[in-house]
Amino acid sequence: QLQASGGGLVQAGGSLRLSCVASGLPFGIYSMGWFRQAPGKEREYVAAITGSTDRTYYADSVKGRFTISRDNAKNTGYLQMNSLKAEDTAVYYCAADVIFSTLRVAPQYLGQGTQVTVSS
């Protein structure tokens, strides 16, 4: 299971850090990532990181503002979001898959979402 938290209401330009706690799976061997979905829009693959942290992915829309990281000892992944914009408003979901390349297509695990609202 994946449990995401850390969402909330923030003003444009502000920051939030999302957390995703994994249970019941060997987290360290799984790639993990974040999706988001805004009302009326398709789900967007935002960021991802391999289990060994040797590879990361960022959508162009968040590159330079968001940072993905993880602490395998704590079975937890993070998404640090800085310089938030109104268009970042969405429900954010964490996901995990053994294979980094398939994480964005059909993740083995998808957690419940956490709402991020950015006021302009």
Side-chain angles (χ1 to χ4, degrees):
Q1 284 187 332
L2 301 175
Q3 182 80 29
S5 63
L9 174 64
V10 64
Q11 289 187 333
S15 298
L16 281 175
R17 188 175 81 156
L18 305 184
S19 298
C20 177
V21 179
S23 60
L25 68 156
F27 184 66
I29 69 169
Y30 277 74
S31 294
M32 65 89 54
W34 295 89
F35 292 85
R36 68 184 181 185
Q37 188 162 23
K41 295 188 177 181
E42 293 188 355
R43 190 172 71 181
E44 180 184 12
Y45 187 52
V46 175
I49 187 169
T50 55
S52 62
T53 72
D54 63 341
R55 184 179 174 186
T56 58
Y57 164 84
Y58 293 98
D60 287 342
S61 58
V62 306
K63 205 170 289 184
R65 300 188 297 121
F66 290 12
T67 302
I68 190 169
S69 63
R70 61 191 296 159
D71 184 340
N72 289 338
K74 295 182 179 180
N75 286 348
T76 302
Y78 305 97
L79 186 67
Q80 178 67 44
M81 307 186 295
N82 299 329
S83 302
L84 283 162
K85 306 175 182 179
E87 51 263 44
D88 295 319
T89 295
V91 177
Y92 283 71
Y93 302 86
C94 59
D97 196 294
V98 172
I99 302 174
F100 184 78
S101 59
T102 61
L103 178 60
R104 70 186 303 165
V105 178
Q108 290 176 267
Y109 297 94
L110 185 66
Q112 95 297 346
T114 185
Q115 176 72 47
V116 172
T117 303
V118 183
S119 62
S120 57

